[in-house]
Amino acid sequence: RYLTCSCITKKPAIAPSVGGAQQDKQQLEQQSDKGGCSLLQHRYLGEFDGIYDRPLACFGCGIGWACFILGFGFPLLWYIATALYFGKYHLKDPRERAGLAASAIAALICSVAALITLVAVHL
């Protein structure tokens, strides 16, 4: 389940144990002291290093995609996500960019459809 490598010592990978995170942490530290390396050592121990290690908001799908999906029921969410997109929210976490852009496109299509409907009704 966890990708590990033993760079120098060629020892087998450490499997998760029943003893708990503290024991696993000690085993990983001992392996790294002997020259082995764990590719996902920090994720395995529950520590997050970078921006991509943290899960996205809204059950892991991101704010943009959540607004896109929920926007079919509440179109105002598309406009909120569009404001976030043009407010450079996606620079905080680049994984949000696609969902926010999809919401912006949905808001554009909704606006054009509403405009065409208003023109058709008033003519």
Side-chain angles (χ1 to χ4, degrees):
R1 179 178 168 142
Y2 298 102
L3 297 175
T4 57
C5 73
S6 299
C7 299
I8 298 172
T9 60
K10 303 291 184 201
K11 292 194 176 242
I14 295 176
S17 65
V18 181
Q22 185 64 24
Q23 184 180 9
D24 293 338
K25 185 175 183 177
Q26 290 173 353
Q27 289 176 350
L28 286 170
E29 287 173 356
Q30 289 173 358
Q31 184 182 8
S32 64
D33 289 342
K34 293 178 183 178
C37 65
S38 175
L39 298 176
L40 297 178
Q41 178 175 354
H42 297 292
R43 183 177 292 172
Y44 177 68
L45 297 175
E47 300 170 8
F48 300 118
D49 279 343
I51 189 171
Y52 301 113
D53 289 336
R54 290 177 287 156
L56 288 171
C58 299
F59 304 104
C61 69
I63 293 171
W65 286 116
C67 286
F68 178 75
I69 292 168
L70 294 174
F72 289 102
F74 307 102
L76 183 63
L77 290 174
W78 288 334
Y79 295 99
I80 293 170
T82 301
L84 289 174
Y85 181 71
F86 288 118
K88 306 291 184 190
Y89 181 79
H90 59 85
L91 294 178
K92 292 181 183 177
D93 190 350
R95 298 176 294 173
E96 292 280 358
R97 187 175 196 158
L100 292 173
S103 294
I105 292 169
L108 176 68
I109 292 170
C110 183
S111 297
V112 169
L115 183 66
I116 291 172
T117 302
L118 285 175
V119 169
V121 167
H122 290 292
L123 285 181

